[in-house]
Amino acid sequence: MDDHFWMGEALAEARAAMALGEVPVGAVVVREGRAVGRGRNLRESERDPTAHAEMLAIREAAGALGGWRLTGCTLYVTMEPCPMCAGAMVQARIDRLVYGVADPKAGAAGTLVDLLRDKRFNHQVEVSAGVRAEECRELLREFFGRLRRDAGAVERARLENG
């Protein structure tokens, strides 16, 4: 199995998040060729600011593997992790990150900051970016486009009904 395949699994999680009205980000933790953790954004559903796809996938992987050290694992995620998620990856000792699309507003794997390769930490994470980027980007475009259209329709109805 390769990066393209596993990013497809992360994209499936992102689509499931979007179906729930969540920002479509999905994540999968893989070790020795099998998924050991999966997650999708659930911040709105759970009313939890930490319910990012990566955090949920890391928690599930730790439970499945019976410990917090996730050495030998690769995290696949559709969008570049934020500082919280990047910090969790360092703390979990994840070996590798593969992400789809950069996050210009919160990216902590090289876009705004690079927490994963900072030599001042006791662990660094190898990073591969841009895997199935256009599919990841299109999912986000579709979601935010729909949000803007829905918000515009609500505003038009409010104005019409004065």
Side-chain angles (χ1 to χ4, degrees), residues 3 28-31 70 72-76 89 94-98:
D3 291 348
V28 179
V29 177
V30 175
R31 186 179 200 188
L70 300 182
C73 291
T74 298
L75 174 67
Y76 292 86
M89 292 177 64
I94 289 175
D95 288 351
R96 184 168 176 247
L97 165 69
V98 178

Side-chain angles (χ1 to χ4, degrees), residues 4 7 15 34 39 49 51 78 94 116 119 130 145-146 150:
H4 190 83
M7 187 59 72
R15 287 185 194 97
R34 71 179 181 94
T78 56
I94 289 175
L116 299 178
K119 300 285 188 213
R146 188 180 308 154
D150 291 351

Side-chain angles (χ1 to χ4, degrees), residues 86-106:
M89 292 177 64
V90 169
Q91 292 299 314
R93 312 298 195 267
I94 289 175
D95 288 351
R96 184 168 176 247
L97 165 69
V98 178
Y99 73 84
V101 65
D103 183 351
K105 294 183 179 180

